[in-house]
Amino acid sequence: MEYNPIKQRPYLCTAACIEMILDRRNIEHDAQENIACSLGLIVPEEKSSLYACATVSNTRPKSGWGTQVQKEKYSINNYFRTNNIHLTETYRTLSSIQDVADFIKINLEKENDILVCFNNLPLDPSGGNCGHVNIIESINGDQVVLLDSDIFYPRRTVSLAKLIKAIELHGVKNRAGFWIISNTKN
């Protein structure tokens, strides 16, 4: 599947990925900031001037700054329902998948979009110890191509083992794992 890379604004990796998915599917959508705010955007006080609609906090959320999609009212599915977008997001943890490589291949063959939520540290130490979301574009053997909205060169290839380590580090409590976006079944 081909995506047009979109650079995220600070803390908006999930919203930028949703924007790329909606663009790939030719679905009209809100601006990146509005998507993020619908997904419960929380930013630190020193960044509050960047966003008109974000919640500002002095306390960093457990899952990190940015969206709060682990809460039902800020879920991706709630965003789709509210905006009459006929897509569904399904969350899958590592422990619910027998063979991660096969899982990725099968979903890509079905033309589902795969978002992956992980801790940035194992993949990009300069990015810090925080949650991050990318789109999985392809897999070839043990090599996974990620589309990242936060780097100058948006595509990077990582080993599946390294990606799994990054998912495990972020943890299920922070909704680490795979977020499968598929057409809503009628």
Side-chain angles (χ1 to χ4, degrees), residues 86-138:
H86 300 288
L87 298 174
T88 300
E89 181 264 341
T90 304
Y91 173 53
R92 296 291 303 272
T93 63
L94 283 173
S95 64
S96 71
I97 301 168
Q98 281 189 334
D99 184 316
V100 176
D102 282 346
F103 173 80
I104 292 170
K105 287 176 196 168
I106 289 166
N107 276 286
L108 291 174
E109 286 170 5
K110 292 180 180 179
E111 295 199 13
N112 291 332
D113 301 285
I114 307 171
L115 296 171
V116 59
C117 179
F118 55 87
N119 186 295
N120 205 42
L121 203 54
L123 301 184
D124 180 14
S126 67
N129 184 12
C130 61
H132 195 43
V133 174
N134 284 184
I135 295 173
I136 295 179
E137 272 198 315
S138 65

Side-chain angles (χ1 to χ4, degrees), residues 65-77:
W65 301 110
T67 59
Q68 305 299 304
V69 297
Q70 71 278 13
K71 298 176 182 175
E72 177 55 34
K73 71 179 183 175
Y74 299 127
S75 70
I76 294 169
N77 281 327

Side-chain angles (χ1 to χ4, degrees), residues 10-12 41-51 54-61 64-68:
Y11 309 112
L12 303 189
L41 178 62
I42 298 177
V43 299
E45 193 169 341
E46 65 269 12
K47 300 291 185 178
S48 64
S49 64
L50 296 177
Y51 305 104
T55 299
V56 178
S57 177
N58 290 320
T59 306
R60 182 180 181 269
W65 301 110
T67 59
Q68 305 299 304

